[in-house]
Amino acid sequence: MRKKRTNDPEGMRRRVLDVAEDAFQARGYHASSLGDLMAAAGVTGGALHHHFPTKKALALAVIEERVAAAVRETWIKPVLAAPSAREGVRAVFEAVAAELEQPGYVRGCPLNNLAHELSLADDEFRLALARVFADWRQAIADKIRADQRDGEEGATDPERFAALTVAAYSGAMSMAKASQDAAVLRECLKGLESFELPPSQGQLTVKRRRRVLLRSKIG
Amino acid sequence: MRKKRTNDPEGMRRRVLDVAEDAFQARGYHASSLGDLMAAAGVTGGALHHHFPTKKALALAVIEERVAAAVRETWIKPVLAAPSAREGVRAVFEAVAAELEQPGYVRGCPLNNLAHELSLADDEFRLALARVFADWRQAIADKIRADQRDGEEGATDPERFAALTVAAYSGAMSMAKASQDAAVLRECLKGLESFELPPSQGQLTVKRRRRVLLRSKIG
DNA sequence: TATAAAACAGGACGATCACCCTGTTTTGAG
DNA sequence: CTCAAAACAGGGTGATCGTCCTGTTTTATA
């Protein structure tokens, strides 16, 4: 029998990133050995080294391609698509909380996990992680500004709202991970919701805001 | 020349914990080797092994003795000593921000650093870390309840306020570490302050609250 | 002072890790 | 087909890590 092999560089790269993303979130960067990743992905050392010359290069790819994409899918897109920033934030919090409540470990936010472990270890890591945070915050702030252009939101400071939202979410995920309980996420959401509203602006205006979707030119 | 030696078990243990606390915060648990710690503390392998049979035991001691104490000193004591929970929270945020703004790396919150790296690695780690978080939150919630007994704070939900405060702080420290900039801490504080106030309760009542200190039986 | 336990010294060991190197196979361009 | 480059295989290597082990010194107790 002759040996057959089909080269699939993109697929192999994808499989490596898949298991690396998973392992880095579940066990962290330093606790995940390349041997583990090779075994999990069914990849040889030669192939791994061909696509990612160093472990650091692999981690950078995970951050820039996977973690950034996860933040985009989980947070940025839903918030931008929501009728308002506040409703979007609320929807994301609840979606994540619901996801954490079904069986399985609470693994925490992948961005925060890597941010804590790698921010101080290497400046390239730090910058890549800071960029993801910045994009995340800016998307929320932009959404607030869009709401304001539509006559909503009053004088809410966009950057302040975005910073508080991202911080509260990150910190809540931190505690949820330590306590293995998503309840704190819901608590923080309620806290944000009950305090967030600027005075003289009730939630009565929340309802008929479907127009926003029509008027905003969604990119 | 005869060799002299003075046994100082407590001092040696303290020195090891000092460097371990520092290294775990600056570089993380896995990135800190026992060899590094031994060199930094000027301690031999035998002595280290005598006081801490495993690296895990050392980390647990750091969490239970040093990290918990740091949270107590940085957060719990100042908040309990403040005229009100809100003022205490504000004071801590500003103190930490001011500390981060002077030269030197922003190293982040020691509790969060270890929580992210070790929560999922080991259940003993996780429980120890969750306990610190819980004590932290409970202290703030208790302070809110004390304020309410003194006729302040209206209907603020103590647990909700505490969860949001701790989460916002933790998340803000996360971002501050990644961006090496304490500005986000101040942003989050402003966000907490502007949204936090329950309606129909201005900050006019803030001033004459010195009585609280007298009436509460401080433990 | 006698003696056992605690405190400390320092090297050794096996395991593991990230990386590299030498080959082999596949692929695509000419 | 030719052939060079890309893709992949797989073992090797030096370094490092956490732990353990055998001694030696100090200390507490009687």
Side-chain angles (χ1 to χ4, degrees):
Chain A
M1 284 245 181
R2 299 296 160 83
K3 337 162 188 177
K4 249 187 269 181
R5 202 183 77 196
T6 317
N7 282 1
D8 179 20
E10 294 172 12
M12 175 155 284
R13 199 186 124 93
R14 185 182 46 77
R15 267 156 52 214
V16 172
L17 285 176
D18 282 345
V19 302
E21 176 186 10
D22 189 76
F24 287 168
Q25 182 177 3
R27 274 162 302 193
Y29 174 80
H30 287 102
S32 303
S33 77
L34 294 183
D36 294 342
L37 301 184
M38 282 163 47
V43 165
T44 64
L48 177 61
H49 183 261
H50 177 73
H51 290 281
F52 305 100
T54 65
K55 191 182 183 184
K56 174 180 167 179
L58 172 58
L60 276 175
V62 167
I63 293 172
E64 286 162 358
E65 301 177 27
R66 300 309 186 91
V67 174
V71 170
R72 238 178 283 130
E73 292 298 319
T74 309
W75 264 96
I76 297 181
K77 279 190 182 180
V79 166
L80 292 185
S84 74
R86 293 181 192 277
E87 289 182 52
V89 168
R90 180 173 157 279
V92 174
F93 262 83
E94 288 194 345
V96 173
E99 194 185 325
L100 295 188
E101 268 158 3
Q102 58 199 20
Y105 275 73
V106 177
R107 320 174 83 198
C109 167
L111 174 58
N112 268 277
N113 290 349
L114 289 178
H116 275 96
E117 194 176 359
L118 301 179
S119 278
L120 293 188
D122 185 283
D123 237 53
E124 284 188 75
F125 282 144
R126 215 201 81 231
L127 291 171
L129 293 160
R131 183 157 35 240
V132 181
F133 271 120
D135 291 346
W136 183 3
R137 282 207 274 161
Q138 194 179 42
I140 296 176
D142 285 347
K143 182 68 176 179
I144 286 279
R145 275 187 281 264
D147 292 351
Q148 288 172 334
R149 256 177 267 119
D150 293 320
E152 308 283 347
E153 273 305 331
T156 300
D157 182 307
E159 266 74 27
R160 192 171 299 172
F161 177 88
L164 182 63
T165 300
V166 173
Y169 175 80
S170 297
M173 289 295 280
S174 225
M175 283 186 276
K177 190 177 167 187
S179 62
Q180 284 292 306
D181 184 358
V184 66
L185 244 190
R186 296 192 183 279
E187 280 282 20
C188 287
L189 172 59
K190 286 180 190 167
L192 279 178
E193 283 186 323
S194 52
F195 294 136
E196 233 169 31
L197 296 163
S200 79
Q201 181 117 1
Q203 29 232 106
L204 314 172
T205 63
V206 168
K207 287 305 155 65
R208 83 179 75 102
R209 210 177 284 163
R210 200 61 47 85
R211 287 169 300 132
V212 175
L213 284 174
L214 300 174
R215 288 171 58 184
S216 67
K217 8 176 178 161
I218 305 176
Chain B
M1 282 241 185
R2 298 295 161 82
K3 337 163 189 179
K4 248 188 266 181
R5 202 183 77 197
T6 317
N7 283 1
D8 179 19
E10 294 173 12
M12 176 154 285
R13 199 185 126 94
R14 184 182 47 76
R15 267 156 52 214
V16 172
L17 285 176
D18 283 344
V19 301
E21 176 186 11
D22 189 75
F24 288 168
Q25 182 177 3
R27 273 162 302 191
Y29 174 79
H30 287 102
S32 303
S33 78
L34 293 183
D36 294 342
L37 302 185
M38 282 162 49
V43 165
T44 65
L48 177 60
H49 183 262
H50 177 74
H51 289 281
F52 305 100
T54 65
K55 191 182 183 184
K56 174 180 168 180
L58 172 58
L60 276 175
V62 167
I63 293 171
E64 286 163 357
E65 300 176 29
R66 299 310 185 90
V67 174
V71 171
R72 236 177 285 128
E73 291 299 318
T74 309
W75 263 97
I76 297 181
K77 277 191 182 179
V79 166
L80 292 185
S84 74
R86 293 182 191 277
E87 288 183 54
V89 168
R90 179 173 157 278
V92 173
F93 261 83
E94 288 195 344
V96 173
E99 193 184 326
L100 295 188
E101 268 158 3
Q102 57 199 20
Y105 275 74
V106 177
R107 320 174 84 196
C109 166
L111 174 58
N112 267 277
N113 291 348
L114 289 178
H116 275 96
E117 193 176 0
L118 301 179
S119 278
L120 294 188
D122 186 284
D123 237 53
E124 283 189 76
F125 281 145
R126 214 201 81 231
L127 290 171
L129 293 160
R131 182 157 35 241
V132 180
F133 271 119
D135 290 348
W136 184 2
R137 282 207 274 160
Q138 194 180 43
I140 296 177
D142 285 348
K143 182 68 176 180
I144 287 279
R145 274 186 282 264
D147 292 350
Q148 287 171 336
R149 254 177 268 118
D150 292 321
E152 308 285 347
E153 271 306 330
T156 300
D157 183 308
E159 265 75 26
R160 191 170 301 171
F161 177 88
L164 182 63
T165 300
V166 172
Y169 175 80
S170 296
M173 289 296 280
S174 225
M175 284 186 277
K177 190 178 168 187
S179 63
Q180 285 292 306
D181 183 359
V184 65
L185 243 189
R186 296 192 183 277
E187 280 282 20
C188 287
L189 172 60
K190 286 180 188 167
L192 278 177
E193 282 186 324
S194 53
F195 294 136
E196 233 170 31
L197 296 162
S200 79
Q201 181 117 4
Q203 30 231 104
L204 314 173
T205 62
V206 168
K207 287 303 157 65
R208 86 179 71 100
R209 211 176 282 164
R210 201 59 49 83
R211 289 169 300 132
V212 174
L213 284 173
L214 299 174
R215 289 172 58 184
S216 67
K217 6 173 181 167
I218 305 174

